[in-house]
Amino acid sequence: MEPPTVLVGFPGRSSTRTAVPAARIGPNTIIQLAHVLRDRFGEGVAATLLFESTGYAMGALPQSMVDEREAQAFVRTVMRAVGATQGSRILHEAGHRTADYLMGHRIPRPAQWLMKALPQRAGLNILLRAMQANAWTFAGSGSFSVHHLPKRVDLTFHDCAMCRDMHTSQPVCDFYAGTFEHLIRTLVAPRAEVREVECQSTGGHCCRFEVTGIH
């Protein structure tokens, strides 16, 4: 696979900061996206895209909450550098890796055991309540809500921190889709699917994900 063309001159970290404080989110968007780029295209490409958009170095990735605009800039840079189709796959994989991190370091083992042991709907309810309680770590200045419907569950972001101010022809919040789907498949329902069906970047009112395959 050929490496992407690096967009030299894309605004770096200094341009993502203003005098107005921004909301902060967990660092995994940046960390895991950088790791996927490194594994797919090599250290050099990953380091250049990372630094051009955020000012971070591969050897000094953030370990605490970050300005949400840094994550936004990194996502935009990746999508512009590799294209929408490949960028979506990369973001989905970064979300998948984030879910692995959460299950390894953030979700208590007894809670994981309980979700797996319960009927799927009950296990999903526990997971979604935990997601809502911790939405401040991934929704930033946006809002996150859960809507239970007869045959599915909708996960909705308003003023989405991942795609804000982006204009695309297809949904681009694959980082969230990858995170949610891997968590739900591992802890609740192996055949569950999470699909973004509405995205603010394409002119949607919100970013909405449908969760199906829960019995």
Side-chain angles (χ1 to χ4, degrees), residues 11 19 25 37 43 56 60 66 69 83 89 93 97 99 119 138 146 158 176 180 190 192 195 199 206 208 214:
I25 60 175
L37 289 169
E43 186 87 14
Y56 290 114
V66 300
R69 291 169 296 187
R89 290 196 294 264
E93 184 177 343
R97 295 188 187 195
F138 59 84
V146 175
H158 287 280
Y176 288 136
F180 298 156
R195 186 168 63 95
C199 188
C206 61
R208 181 168 61 88
I214 307 295

Side-chain angles (χ1 to χ4, degrees), residues 52-71:
E52 287 291 330
S53 55
T54 69
Y56 290 114
M58 289 295 292
L61 290 167
Q63 299 301 314
S64 58
M65 303 288 281
V66 300
D67 186 324
E68 66 179 11
R69 291 169 296 187
E70 294 174 343

Side-chain angles (χ1 to χ4, degrees), residues 132-182:
Q132 286 182 286
N134 291 280
W136 62 275
T137 65
F138 59 84
S141 58
S143 63
F144 173 76
S145 58
V146 175
H147 305 275
H148 293 271
L149 301 169
K151 294 184 178 181
R152 69 173 198 269
V153 175
D154 282 0
L155 310 178
T156 302
F157 289 89
H158 287 280
D159 199 16
C160 177
M162 195 62 57
C163 70
R164 190 178 302 140
D165 300 324
M166 291 179 65
H167 302 283
T168 63
S169 60
Q170 65 186 62
V172 296
C173 301
D174 297 272
F175 175 81
Y176 288 136
T179 303
F180 298 156
E181 186 172 83
H182 191 44

Side-chain angles (χ1 to χ4, degrees), residues 20-51:
V20 180
R24 303 182 76 78
I25 60 175
N28 265 296
T29 306
I30 292 175
I31 294 171
Q32 304 303 340
L33 184 51
H35 288 170
V36 174
L37 289 169
R38 178 198 61 199
D39 293 347
R40 289 196 177 208
F41 303 117
E43 186 87 14
V45 169
T48 301
L49 294 176
L50 174 67
F51 184 79

